[in-house]
Structure formats: structure tokens, C-alpha cells
Amino acid sequence: MAKILIVLYPDPVTGYPPDYARDSIPVIKEYPGGVALPSPKAIDFVPGHLLGSVSGNLGLKDWLETEGHTVVVTDDKEGPDSVFERELPDADVVISQPFWPAYLTAERIARAEKLQLVITAGIGSDHTDLNAANARGITVAEVTYSNSIGVAEHTVMQVLVLVRDFVKQHQIAVDGGWNIADAVERSYDLEGMRVGVFAAGRIGRAVIERLAPFGVRLSYTDRFRLPAEYEEKYGLTFHESIEELVKEIDVLTVHAPLTDETRGLLNDELLATMTRGAYIVNPARGAIADRDAIVRALESGRLAGYAGDVWDPQPAPADHPWRTMPHNAMTTHTSGTSLSGQARYAAGTREILENWFEGAPIRPEYLIVEGGAYQGTGAHSYAKQPVHADEQQAS
Ligand code: NAD
């Protein structure tokens, strides 16, 4: 029997469960490209309910306890006296979410002597030290595709919010004002703008496909070039590097994983090469951007706006400058954890656990590292060297 340590974000301050706005969520049959949805043998939750907070427990607690496992569910993850720190040393499995990440540093992995499986209930496993996991032969898996479309939708929303200057216009309406001139002095149409996509994986491609009908001019960079038919279909221009990409665009959207190569990439030097008045939307990882360089670029006018939902660290401290910098449309880390997304990543987490308990293989698209090496999605998206330059799957 295993000990499963589950770290989730806190329940709503108004209590759990919330009053749901809708009675159900749409049934999706498959992911783009025919990729299968999570397929656990059973689920113990109502799709559309709040599963990502402690009381929702990803719908796992009753099932795991019935199976005889020990389950600890907590939101207390910071500091040496936290429940996470206390329970970690004899945990076999750790589950957490990027929205409220239980940071598994090399030091913590060294203390977690029994740890064999780390599951990201969502996408993006950079909160686990993947080199340390590899050195110990720990398996790291995530629920690939569970929230990719939701993040793409949030990205498109934030592009429009920035370019049209929605936040200020909404505030004028809320405040009882009507001054149209104030409301539109920084408002533009997206139509005709040049949009650059940094990393055309599952989310980047979904952004391309959703933005194309807006009549924008699309370009991208990725370490794997997309098939020619796909580029042609969306009128995509490929650039070899982000340095080449950013010189040519009005809007940059960011969808690469956080790795040694991407950390701090959006720095003063790169931002200085962008068109004056460019916008950035980064729903990938906060640490891909240099925090203070973004503030400086907004203050100088180099950037006209910055949005995203990812911060470094998470939760961001109350005095994080991105909360108050000019022309920001930041949200907390929510794009991948809509009630719709939660149903899919809760089901995918259960599928991974079922496989692991049975000794059955975990789907390659869920695997980041296994057996001491990057595997599946991890080999494609996280490993330092590209594996096969032609392996990119376009949906
Ligand atoms: P994916 O694995 O489908 O795609 C990642 C792409 O990044 C791949 O095409 C890969 O080739 C490319 N890439 C990696 N390193 C690169 C580099 N140095 N230069 C250029 N391209 C590079 O992943 P995805 O599902 O599209 O997710 C992308 C990232 O978005 C995740 O790693 C995660 O950090 C983030 N994410 C955020 C949320 C959220 O809620 N905000 C939710 C899901 C994912």
C-alpha cells in the first residue's frame, strides 16, 4: 500500500462547494488530432465541480482510501513546518498542480527517500527538479492536453484585452464614467497586427488556429519546424530563433516549457529589439520573463502591455511588481484550471495512478521522465537536444 501526498490550492474563501454557475460542462469526445481523452476505469467526481482545491481532492481520496492507501491532502506547502515538508519523507507518490506547485527541489527529493512517482495534475512539470528525479529513477508524469485548449482560449482573451485596452474601459464603466476619449486613447484593433508565437506545441498551435480568423499575420519559432502544409494553411512564417521572431511582430505569445534554455529569455536585451508598443502574453511560465525587465519595458513604453497568468514564485507575493505595473492584464494562475480543465486533469491523474498501481505502462504523452531519462512528451519538449527534428505533430 502506498502513501499519496496531494498538494492542492485552498478552498474558496466563501466555503466549499461553491454555488455553481452552470449544471454541467460540455462533453468533449477527443483532443485535437484524435488524441484520446483520459480513460480511467472509473471516476469518483462530478465533472464541472471544483476538484482542484483541497475539499475537491481531485476526486481521488475516497477511491484511494478504499483501495487501502494512505492519503494526505493539504494546501500547506511553504516552510519547514508545513504539512508538505512533514509528510514528504515517507511519501511514495506526490501529486500537485502548477497553479499551487509543491516545489520538489533536489534537496526535498533527497529527503523523500521512498518517492517513486510525481504527478503534475495539469501540464508543466518544472516545479519538480527533473535532473534530480532522473538521478533517482523517479517517474514524473503530467496530464498532457488536459488544459491546452483552455490555456489557448485564455491567451486569445488576454491578447484582445491588451490590444483593445479592456481593463481600463471596464473600470470606467464600473466607476460610473463615460469619457470615451479616455477609454480609447490606447485602444487598437487586432486585425492586421503581426502575431508571433514562441513554441508551437499543443498550446501554441491552438493559439495559432484560434487567432488566424482575426485576420492577423502569424509567425512562430520552435525547435521543431511544423509541416509545410500546416504553415501554408495558417499563413505561418517560421523564424529560426526567438531573437529573429520578436523583431518582426506586434504581439508575442509564449508557450515554451520552463527549461535551462528558456529561463530569463525575455530580458532587457531581447525586449529592446521589439517594435515600440509591442504586447506580450505569457501563459507558459513566469520565470521565462525577467521580472524587472518587463516592468522597465512597460514603464518606458517599449511594451504597450503585458499579460499572462504565470508568476515566479507561486503564489506570487502580495508586493510582486507585476500586480501593479502599468498596462498589465495579469490574472492569477487560472487559465489551465477552469472547472472544465479540472475534470480532465482529475481523470488523467486517476488514469496515471491506476496504471502505476497495476504496473501497466503510463501513456507516452503523459511521461516526462521515467527510468532515469526523459521520455515521451518530456523527450520532445524538455530534453536539451531535439530527438527527431521531423517528429512535430500538427493537429
Ligand atoms: P508541448 O509539449 O505540447 O509544447 C511545447 C513546445 O515547446 C514544443 O513544441 C517544443 O518543441 C517547444 N520548445 C521547448 N523548448 C524550446 C526552446 N528552447 N525553443 C523553442 N521551442 C521550444 O506543451 P504545451 O502543452 O503546449 O505546454 C507548453 C507549456 O505551457 C508547458 O510546458 C507549461 O509550462 C505551460 N502551461 C501553462 C498552463 C497554464 O495554466 N498557464 C497550462 C498548461 C501548460
Side-chain angles (χ1 to χ4, degrees), residues 316-329:
D319 63 353
H320 194 293
W322 287 8
R323 292 183 189 270
T324 50
M325 63 191 178
H327 313 303
N328 89 79

Side-chain angles (χ1 to χ4, degrees), residues 41-307:
K41 292 190 178 125
I43 55 168
D44 245 0
F45 60 81
V46 178
H49 281 192
L50 181 61
L51 305 169
S53 71
V54 169
S55 294
N57 66 72
L58 301 174
L60 295 174
K61 194 168 189 289
D62 288 350
W63 166 62
L64 288 169
E65 286 179 344
T66 308
E67 297 287 315
H69 302 295
T70 304
V71 184
V72 177
V73 186
T74 183
D75 57 24
D76 183 17
K77 71 184 183 86
E78 305 295 344
D81 298 326
S82 63
V83 174
F84 173 54
E85 289 278 5
R86 279 206 313 271
E87 300 288 345
L88 185 61
D90 63 347
D92 300 279
V93 179
V94 169
I95 302 172
S96 87
Q97 311 169 94
F99 324 104
W100 191 256
Y103 291 104
L104 273 170
T105 58
E107 297 72 38
R108 290 197 176 114
I109 286 176
R111 285 195 299 104
E113 288 180 8
K114 292 182 67 190
L115 187 61
Q116 296 173 61
L117 174 66
V118 178
I119 304 177
T120 302
I123 301 174
S125 297
D126 50 275
H127 56 279
T128 296
D129 186 318
L130 297 175
N131 292 329
N134 268 334
R136 272 271 304 281
I138 293 169
T139 298
V140 178
E142 61 185 42
V143 192
T144 304
Y145 244 141
S146 57
N147 54 24
S148 308
I149 302 304
V151 178
E153 290 181 0
H154 202 93
T155 306
V156 172
M157 172 186 80
Q158 289 188 318
V159 167
L160 289 165
V161 159
L162 286 183
V163 171
R164 302 205 58 87
D165 208 19
F166 171 84
V167 175
K168 181 180 177 189
Q169 295 176 15
H170 180 62
Q171 199 55 50
I172 288 173
V174 170
D175 292 345
W178 193 263
N179 194 332
I180 305 295
D182 286 303
V184 299
E185 64 184 359
R186 295 177 64 89
S187 183
Y188 299 89
D189 292 353
L190 179 60
E191 185 181 25
M193 284 198 177
R194 300 164 303 169
V195 179
V197 174
F198 172 48
R202 293 171 182 84
I203 297 172
R205 294 198 304 275
V207 167
I208 288 168
E209 290 155 24
R210 279 153 185 76
L211 281 179
F214 282 89
V216 294
R217 284 145 64 195
L218 287 161
S219 54
Y220 78 103
T221 187
D222 194 293
R223 51 190 193 166
F224 299 97
R225 190 162 178 176
L226 292 164
E229 319 80 75
Y230 188 92
E231 289 186 355
E232 205 174 306
K233 182 171 177 190
Y234 294 103
L236 281 175
T237 304
F238 174 71
H239 292 279
E240 289 290 343
S241 66
I242 188 163
E243 288 77 12
E244 290 304 313
L245 176 77
V246 298
K247 285 187 215 156
E248 305 286 336
I249 56 174
D250 305 297
V251 181
L252 176 70
T253 72
V254 180
H255 311 290
L258 177 64
T259 63
D260 293 344
E261 286 169 21
T262 61
R263 185 178 293 277
L265 209 51
L266 306 181
N267 57 20
D268 285 314
E269 210 184 335
L270 189 84
L271 296 172
T273 66
M274 295 184 78
T275 303
R276 192 186 85 82
Y279 305 88
I280 297 178
V281 174
N282 171 16
R285 284 294 176 261
I288 294 175
D290 174 330
R291 186 192 74 173
D292 297 335
I294 296 295
V295 178
R296 283 189 287 273
L298 286 165
E299 286 173 351
S300 72
R302 170 62 42 192
L303 287 181
Y306 183 94

